[in-house]
Amino acid sequence: MKGKKKTIALVIYFGLLFLPIYWMINMSLRTNADILASFALFPIDLTFANYIKIFTDASWYSGYINSMIYVSINTLISLATALPAAYAFSRYQFMGDKHLFFWLLTNRMAPAAVFALPFFQLYSALHLIDTHIAVALAHCLFNIPLAVWILEGFMSGIPREIDETAFIDGYSFPRFFITIFIPLIRAGVGVTAFFCFMFSWVELLLARTLTVTDAKPIVATMTRTISATGLDYGLLAAAGVLTIVPGALVIWFVRNYMAKGFALGRV
Amino acid sequence: MDKWENNKAWFLVMPVCAFVAFSAIIPLMTVVNYSVQDIIGPGAHVFVGTDWFNKVLHDYRLHDALWRQFLFSGLVLLIEMPLGILIALAMPKRGWGVPFSLVTLALPLLIPWNTIGTIWFIFTRPDIGLFGSAINSLGVAFDHTRRPLDAWATLVLMEAWHWTPLVALLAYAGLRAIPEVYYQAAKIDGASPWATFYYIQLPKMRGVLTIALLLRFMDSFLIYAEPFVLTGGGPGNATTFLSIYVVKLALGQFDLGPAAAISLIYFLIVLLLSFIFYQVLQRVGKGEKA
């Protein structure tokens, strides 16, 4: 009885959640003039012109490729550096640990607008402007702290007896960490990977500041739909629908990590 | 729960510090530099000390914008945190419903923020939008471009739509990480669902809920792109949050000095509040465990 009520509530929530997405899909299949002229629950004059433009115009589709490159680099760096660090924060006491832990998160707390110019100057001085690595590095500023905090939360939930038993059994630290410990927190690793991907994917200000053409991300390309004649809502909506796809694939791949619990005592 | 004392743990933390410090320190110090100088042109700047800070602290428009920001973040947190936890509790644990729920929750998070503002602008328009026309046909006059209350409702609704999935995903992953033995123990003790939630699930989710709350506080307090596109801070100044005000000052008038000063004050407010949240949540968690 109770389980059924839960499911019904969930289905209603998902229905509401889907409405704005449906409207975006609806808009993406109509021309701009049609969107602005009248209300239509379904696209009447169905057109794929917006999608065709994105898939045939290099300045559009290269944006998706550029974004995917630097987002992947960023996610890998964030996870690779944050995993050992989060372990240190959850298990050890060392000089300045609490301050350092909180300092990491403070890097997400500043309003970004005024920081655009200093970022441009810093990366120009290093001759990194308009490269994928520049954006990937800049996004580490907010993604690494996020990854450390989320992973630390999951690691602290694992009893320390597991570590102790493994060390007594003669496991070296790297072997214990990779073969025993990481599998235990895979729900955390999955959700962290997805959030790193997501925050880097939608970040606009730094990505736009640090790129010109060669590494221009899709989020920056999408701001181009604002022109002197107004906004091309249809094109923007089509680009919006397509920006969802890579991230949805990421969460599809990490779904098993996120959903499967674990049984204690398998060490 | 004393941790092992070992300063060699620094080696595990070094890479993280190097990567973050690389992008953190120089830009922050540059902004501190701006905030104490009057920049007249390239290479021409005068040291003005705390003048900008004095000036912006006495700016009543800034105070109004700050209170709006507080109100907005407060509303958003009150809606998103409980709703996110409820969704996570209701989500299926196995079967095809799991990937379906996860992917559905991820959808709003993956759309660039300014695009979300634009889509919601059309979606809530009373003449051509699904939401706007549906509400109007129910007999409720609704127009977010003219009525401040409607603009606020639209923004809060959009923010809840956009970010509740983040809380839900974190809470769900946190729930799934609770070992089955805890539930078995609760079942043997004959614990009610509420007791199971309060004594097992909630304490075990403390870590992820702390980060979820801090993230939601920071990001809603710094929200810019969505309200800028959706309402532009209007009608009037009704939805001019602090973030919008700062950018207007920084880009609109090319006034780097005062904008940097406000940004630093803004940063310190977020820092202070996050620190308080963090300390309180840590205490609460410890208290429950004892």
Side-chain angles (χ1 to χ4, degrees):
Chain A
M1 268 297 278
K2 216 163 166 278
K4 213 161 208 175
K5 261 188 206 156
K6 264 189 193 173
T7 312
I8 292 169
L10 197 66
V11 167
I12 293 173
Y13 170 76
F14 283 156
L16 294 175
L17 182 129
F18 202 70
L19 284 180
I21 309 265
Y22 167 70
W23 207 244
M24 181 163 76
I25 297 170
N26 182 351
M27 283 163 69
S28 74
L29 296 169
R30 299 162 68 187
T31 62
N32 199 38
D34 185 27
I35 293 169
L36 292 172
S38 63
F39 174 84
L41 204 51
F42 305 101
I44 297 159
D45 298 316
L46 200 68
T47 169
F48 290 98
N50 297 319
Y51 288 97
I52 291 167
K53 175 152 176 64
I54 291 171
F55 280 115
T56 52
D57 185 343
S59 67
W60 270 100
Y61 66 73
S62 67
Y64 285 99
I65 298 167
N66 290 332
S67 287
M68 270 185 252
I69 294 173
Y70 72 70
V71 170
S72 309
I73 299 175
N74 173 271
T75 306
L76 287 178
I77 296 178
S78 300
L79 275 181
T81 57
L83 275 167
Y87 182 80
F89 283 121
S90 84
R91 293 305 200 244
Y92 295 111
Q93 211 170 40
F94 50 96
M95 235 169 52
D97 53 352
K98 294 203 177 71
H99 300 108
L100 189 67
F101 191 55
F102 197 76
W103 168 74
L104 281 176
L105 202 66
T106 61
N107 290 298
R108 293 186 67 98
M109 296 176 186
V114 187
F115 287 80
L117 184 60
F119 259 95
F120 182 78
Q121 289 168 336
L122 173 67
Y123 281 86
S124 306
L126 298 163
H127 303 288
L128 283 172
I129 292 293
D130 210 15
T131 59
H132 298 107
I133 197 76
V135 187
L137 277 178
H139 284 182
C140 283
L141 181 67
F142 52 81
N143 266 352
I144 287 182
L146 174 84
V148 171
W149 272 65
I150 298 180
L151 289 171
E152 198 273 342
F154 280 91
M155 289 179 183
S156 296
I158 308 280
R160 243 173 313 166
E161 286 75 33
I162 291 192
D163 310 33
E164 282 161 356
T165 321
F167 292 138
I168 291 168
D169 285 352
Y171 277 87
S172 68
F173 176 71
R175 187 151 160 253
F176 155 75
F177 195 65
I178 292 165
T179 60
I180 297 176
F181 197 70
I182 291 181
L184 284 178
I185 52 151
R186 53 191 171 174
V189 177
V191 79
T192 308
F194 172 71
F195 281 143
C196 286
F197 182 96
M198 183 269 284
F199 276 109
S200 180
W201 183 254
V202 295
E203 202 279 338
L204 170 64
L205 189 81
L206 290 180
R208 185 172 56 188
T209 307
L210 297 177
T211 56
V212 188
T213 48
D214 289 348
K216 194 174 183 179
I218 183 63
V219 275
T221 313
M222 283 166 81
T223 57
R224 272 199 339 196
T225 53
I226 308 164
S227 66
T229 52
L231 205 61
D232 189 342
Y233 290 105
L235 191 58
L236 184 77
V241 172
L242 292 175
T243 51
I244 293 180
V245 177
L249 287 176
V250 168
I251 203 156
W252 176 262
F253 283 123
V254 300
R255 71 189 186 280
N256 288 334
Y257 293 93
M258 284 177 63
K260 272 194 196 120
F262 64 91
L264 270 183
R266 275 213 317 247
V267 183
Chain B
M1 280 296 267
D2 284 330
K3 294 178 181 177
W4 301 315
E5 214 174 312
N6 191 344
N7 276 324
K8 279 188 195 143
W10 258 100
F11 287 108
L12 296 173
V13 186
M14 278 315 285
V16 156
C17 292
F19 272 105
V20 175
F22 176 77
S23 294
I25 292 168
I26 293 176
L28 180 64
M29 291 322 291
T30 315
V31 171
V32 171
N33 234 339
Y34 291 157
S35 71
V36 291
Q37 300 195 22
D38 192 357
I39 296 153
I40 301 149
H45 41 77
V46 187
F47 182 75
V48 295
T50 55
D51 282 9
W52 296 132
F53 287 94
N54 280 330
K55 195 181 147 205
V56 299
L57 282 175
H58 293 103
D59 181 352
Y60 71 93
R61 283 170 302 176
L62 179 95
H63 299 169
D64 290 351
L66 180 63
W67 290 123
R68 282 184 210 113
Q69 194 82 63
F70 272 120
L71 182 62
F72 182 72
S73 275
L75 284 172
V76 161
L77 284 176
L78 281 177
I79 297 172
E80 288 178 3
M81 291 302 295
L83 187 60
I85 296 172
L86 282 176
I87 293 162
L89 287 170
M91 270 165 68
K93 293 179 183 67
R94 57 188 70 83
W96 62 269
V98 175
F100 174 79
S101 308
L102 290 177
V103 172
T104 311
L105 281 176
L107 297 178
L109 295 170
L110 291 162
I111 308 168
W113 300 346
N114 48 356
T115 311
I116 285 188
T118 315
I119 299 298
W120 271 77
F121 177 72
I122 299 286
F123 181 65
T124 52
R125 277 252 306 247
D127 50 346
I128 54 172
L130 182 62
F131 180 80
S133 51
I135 285 260
N136 272 341
S137 69
L138 288 176
V140 184
F142 177 89
D143 188 349
H144 64 75
T145 55
R146 293 215 189 84
R147 298 152 58 112
L149 207 62
D150 292 357
W152 267 83
T154 311
L155 283 178
V156 171
L157 193 66
M158 174 183 69
E159 183 73 357
W161 171 81
H162 185 182
W163 288 110
T164 305
L166 178 130
V167 182
L169 284 174
L170 274 172
Y172 182 72
L175 278 175
R176 301 308 300 145
I178 300 174
E180 200 59 38
V181 285
Y182 286 85
Y183 293 114
Q184 286 160 6
K187 206 174 245 173
I188 292 165
D189 290 348
S192 66
W194 168 250
T196 312
F197 173 71
Y198 191 76
Y199 291 108
I200 296 174
Q201 293 173 319
L202 206 54
K204 278 280 166 192
M205 284 197 293
R206 183 171 62 97
V208 284
L209 290 181
T210 304
I211 180 70
L213 181 83
L214 287 174
L215 268 182
R216 283 318 306 132
F217 166 68
M218 292 185 289
D219 289 350
S220 67
F221 207 81
L222 295 167
I223 187 173
Y224 173 72
E226 299 97 315
F228 176 74
V229 177
L230 184 57
T231 65
N237 273 330
T239 54
T240 302
F241 301 137
L242 190 54
S243 50
I244 293 181
Y245 186 70
V246 173
V247 176
K248 265 186 192 159
L249 210 65
L251 303 180
Q253 308 168 8
F254 288 102
D255 240 350
L256 268 178
I262 297 184
S263 293
L264 289 176
I265 296 169
Y266 202 158
F267 174 53
L268 290 176
I269 295 172
V270 181
L271 188 94
L272 182 71
L273 285 168
S274 301
F275 189 72
I276 294 172
F277 275 135
Y278 179 54
Q279 292 296 331
V280 169
L281 284 170
Q282 288 240 304
R283 293 276 154 74
V284 169
K286 296 261 160 63
E288 265 170 13
K289 234 175 243 164

